[in-house]
Amino acid sequence: MTGARLLRGAVGAAGFLLAGELVIRFGLGENLLFPPPSTVLYEAVRLPADPKFLAGVGATLANWALGLLTAVAVAVPAGVLLGSLAPVERAIRPVLEFLRPIPSVAIIPLAILLVPVDELMKVSVIVYASVWPILINTLYGMRDVDPLAKESLRSFGFGPAAVLARVSLPSAAPFVATGVRIAAGIALVLAVSAELVAGGVNGIGVYVTVAGNGNRTDLMMAATFWAGLFGVIANLALLAGERRLFRWHHARTGAVS
Amino acid sequence: MARTLRCHVLVLGSVAVLALTGCSGGGASPASTGPNGLEKATIKVGALPIPDPVALYIAQAKGFFKEEGLAVEPVTITGGAAALPQIESGALDITQTNYVSSILAAGQGKKIKLVADMYRAAPNTFEIMVPKDSPIQRVADLKGKTVLVNNLRNIATLAVTTQLRAAGLSEADVKFAEKPFPEMGNAITAGQGDAGWITEPFITANKNALGFRTIADTMTGPTADLPIAGWMATDEWVRQNPKTLAAFQRAISKAQRLASGDRKEIEAALPTYTKIDAKTAAAITLGAYPSTLEAARLQKVADLMLEYKYINGPIDVKSLIAASPGG
């Protein structure tokens, strides 16, 4: 991100906050039930001093990381498998296409009923939701592999394993990385949503629930602000990782994203 | 080489399938027998971050559970809709419930037991409120209006309906819409509803911050001193853990007596598990904290629910109450 772009982004965000501040202070009337952005930001800055909030952040991020890693471990091999074996892919495709559009938040009540351990329940729904983008991206990545490159290797006598390791996997890797980045955002949404629906001992969503029930809308929004910030940071970090790892891919496709 | 790789892929694939399906497996964690012969020495107890379950945190802070050899892990729940499946799955051992929800569940054949009393209504603990400049002055003025409640077909709608009847109206004369308590004040201000069924700390907050006024106290007449919330477990859990349950009941009952005898105990405990600060804790109206679960009193809730067709047949609440150690 260049300096000018960063500046423009900052100006946009500041303008948005200022507009919100003015509308609430002079239009809707300021009170605890409708806190202006300045109050929310002030509380957001103070939140890291609250041990209960820190414990919540730890719990949410732990579930998030565990869920995302499990999803990668499940979806990448499954995507490679389906991407390499066309008949299997055709057989499983209808099931995938049916399950994929189901809003993942809607399976939380079912997960609560099925999984007797709170943390495992949360990780399960995170895995379920984040498997799809990784799986589908891996699948398309495998399909996008240059057939000529594969044929060349085969004609030199390389076996399927070597073709997979030397051509297919490296070629599909940027697609997988994009899938993981999309899944990371979805996983964070599910990590917090599961806490909002099911509660728990600690978590950003649990903190929001407690703040809401105690009529602290300002704390509710401040905690939500942090959840959003974690999403932005994760996305930027993964995007930077992708750029570094797959410079050749971006050069080839001209993708700037 | 090719064969081994294909095997690897297959193994990975099956691991993937196992991981996906395996998540839903597993049963209750093995019970650890504790001191005093308790079947379970550590239990997870679900509670809402509101004043009702204060005895849980008082008992915890004063060491009442520890005296019984019981370790209690409080878990924040978000409402009855999630808590019932959580005791059914075994994620929670005992949970807070409101009596209308538990009697509804019993009416649907759910095998649950009420194990201890928690919270009973007192005057001005559940009110119908409107904005200060609203034309609505009395309950009769609600005809054709939208009333916001925290849950549809639950304790809120039941309480409002009893007031409607007293004013010569029926349930069909108003429109009920669902909105969580924290958002109700703003939702009414924004025109999403004309009135709201509101409890503490939101009665005080809406009054002070938005100038709301009360048109009716819903806990009067047939709903005076209405039992609101209690502790619930599954029938199976109660049968398997009689000693653990008795220990829990003794500790909770002791804390309830402390709470009902001295409001300062409640005010001290509230800021430890809710975001209600000391100033608000001192100002809000609180209900009663009974130390025994009385069938006769609770029967009133079931009878009201039958009267307003929340349940299809009569329910004898004695069949829902787990015996307490005192008999």
Side-chain angles (χ1 to χ4, degrees):
Chain A
M1 208 183 281
T2 65
R5 271 187 71 191
L6 203 66
L7 183 71
R8 252 173 273 153
V11 167
F16 175 75
L17 290 177
L18 188 69
E21 188 81 19
L22 291 175
V23 165
I24 290 172
R25 279 198 192 278
F26 299 106
L28 299 167
E30 175 201 0
N31 58 58
L32 203 56
L33 295 187
F34 222 115
S38 58
T39 309
V40 174
L41 282 178
Y42 174 69
E43 290 298 338
V45 171
R46 277 160 41 109
L47 266 186
D50 182 345
K52 191 75 189 155
F53 178 72
L54 283 187
V57 168
T60 303
L61 295 188
N63 285 345
W64 177 50
L66 188 59
L68 192 60
L69 285 175
T70 312
V72 170
V74 168
V76 173
V80 169
L81 185 76
L82 293 182
S84 335
L85 303 171
V88 181
E89 195 253 311
R90 272 195 292 277
I92 289 181
R93 196 77 190 191
V95 182
L96 285 186
E97 291 304 331
F98 174 75
L99 289 176
R100 196 162 61 106
I102 296 177
S104 305
V105 177
I107 70 153
I108 296 174
L110 181 69
I112 291 174
L113 199 58
L114 291 178
V115 188
V117 182
D118 185 54
E119 280 71 28
L120 191 59
M121 182 281 287
K122 286 169 182 161
V123 173
S124 304
V125 296
I126 295 168
V127 171
Y128 179 86
S130 41
V131 149
W132 304 117
I134 307 175
L135 181 63
I136 300 293
N137 271 280
T138 309
L139 235 169
Y140 281 123
M142 292 298 289
R143 277 220 211 115
D144 198 56
V145 177
D146 183 3
L148 208 62
K150 283 199 280 191
E151 279 311 312
S152 315
L153 230 64
R154 274 188 206 129
S155 63
F156 281 113
F158 286 94
V163 174
L164 188 71
R166 286 169 193 236
V167 177
S168 301
L169 286 183
S171 161
F175 290 87
V176 176
T178 305
V180 172
R181 180 161 52 83
I182 296 166
I186 294 172
L188 185 63
V189 170
L190 263 292
V192 178
S193 300
E195 291 162 354
L196 285 172
V197 175
V201 177
N202 278 316
I204 299 175
V206 176
Y207 194 90
V208 167
T209 301
V210 174
N213 276 291
N215 188 41
R216 289 297 302 271
T217 321
D218 52 344
L219 285 182
M220 247 171 95
M221 292 171 73
T224 311
F225 170 84
W226 276 101
L229 201 61
F230 289 132
V232 171
I233 293 169
N235 191 54
L236 286 178
L238 289 168
L239 202 59
E242 272 177 60
R243 288 234 177 85
R244 188 174 283 267
L245 278 171
F246 308 119
R247 196 163 301 168
W248 50 271
H249 175 77
H250 290 291
R252 198 187 72 183
T253 58
V256 265
S257 55
Chain B
M1 176 75 189
R3 176 156 305 185
T4 49
L5 186 100
R6 201 167 296 147
C7 284
H8 278 308
V9 170
L10 275 178
V11 167
L12 277 174
S14 3
V15 167
V17 171
L18 280 176
L20 273 176
T21 53
C23 291
S24 59
S29 51
S32 53
T33 312
N36 307 357
L38 298 184
E39 299 86 358
K40 239 182 154 183
T42 304
I43 57 170
K44 287 182 194 287
V45 178
L48 284 163
I50 60 176
D52 309 26
V54 69
L56 180 74
Y57 299 91
I58 292 177
Q60 185 85 317
K62 305 261 175 196
F64 296 167
F65 291 124
K66 205 183 258 171
E67 283 168 24
E68 299 282 349
L70 189 61
V72 167
E73 195 181 326
V75 179
T76 301
I77 58 167
T78 55
L84 183 62
Q86 280 167 330
I87 57 162
E88 287 182 305
S89 79
L92 294 175
D93 295 289
I94 296 174
T95 186
Q96 173 174 1
T97 176
N98 83 66
Y99 289 124
V100 174
S101 292
S102 29
I103 293 169
L104 277 176
Q108 291 160 3
K110 300 265 188 200
K111 300 272 179 249
I112 51 135
K113 279 277 189 286
L114 299 166
V115 301
D117 206 355
M118 182 192 293
Y119 194 70
R120 187 184 294 161
N124 302 310
T125 45
F126 297 91
E127 301 182 333
I128 303 175
M129 298 185 90
V130 295
K132 58 178 173 221
D133 51 1
S134 165
I136 300 167
Q137 301 296 336
R138 305 166 292 138
V139 176
D141 298 337
L142 287 174
K143 194 174 164 65
K145 305 287 188 197
T146 299
V147 181
L148 300 186
V149 289
N150 63 329
N151 288 124
L152 291 169
R153 292 301 282 179
N154 208 292
I155 192 155
T157 48
L158 187 67
V160 173
T161 304
T162 61
Q163 297 304 312
L164 291 174
R165 176 175 289 189
L169 299 176
S170 81
E171 209 177 341
D173 288 317
V174 303
K175 203 177 135 228
F176 286 113
E178 214 167 270
K179 192 63 75 179
F181 287 126
E183 282 122 65
M184 232 177 240
N186 284 332
I188 293 170
T189 308
Q192 292 176 35
D194 303 291
W197 184 79
I198 298 173
T199 186
E200 293 287 21
F202 304 101
I203 293 174
T204 303
N206 285 308
K207 204 177 283 174
N208 294 347
L210 300 173
F212 273 35
R213 65 189 153 79
T214 300
I215 60 159
D217 175 1
T218 60
M219 296 298 159
T220 54
T223 48
D225 302 324
L226 197 73
I228 300 292
W231 298 102
M232 156 178 90
T234 62
D235 194 32
E236 193 190 357
W237 192 91
V238 167
R239 274 188 281 109
Q240 285 172 356
N241 303 283
K243 287 178 180 159
T244 307
L245 175 61
F248 176 81
Q249 287 172 322
R250 281 190 296 266
I252 280 287
S253 181
K254 204 168 160 184
Q256 291 281 96
R257 276 196 297 276
L258 205 59
S260 55
D262 186 1
R263 191 189 154 110
K264 287 273 174 274
E265 294 285 353
I266 301 172
E267 288 175 17
L270 281 182
T272 65
Y273 73 97
T274 72
K275 283 291 168 196
I276 299 171
D277 56 45
K279 205 176 121 229
T280 310
I284 58 176
T285 309
L286 293 170
Y289 295 85
S291 48
T292 52
L293 194 51
E294 293 170 37
R297 209 180 264 276
L298 197 56
Q299 190 63 47
K300 211 160 78 171
V301 181
D303 294 346
L304 270 178
M305 288 172 70
L306 183 65
E307 189 182 339
Y308 291 104
K309 306 231 164 12
Y310 281 58
I311 44 177
N312 294 322
I315 286 184
D316 180 7
V317 298
K318 273 200 219 80
S319 66
L320 294 181
I321 296 178
S324 67

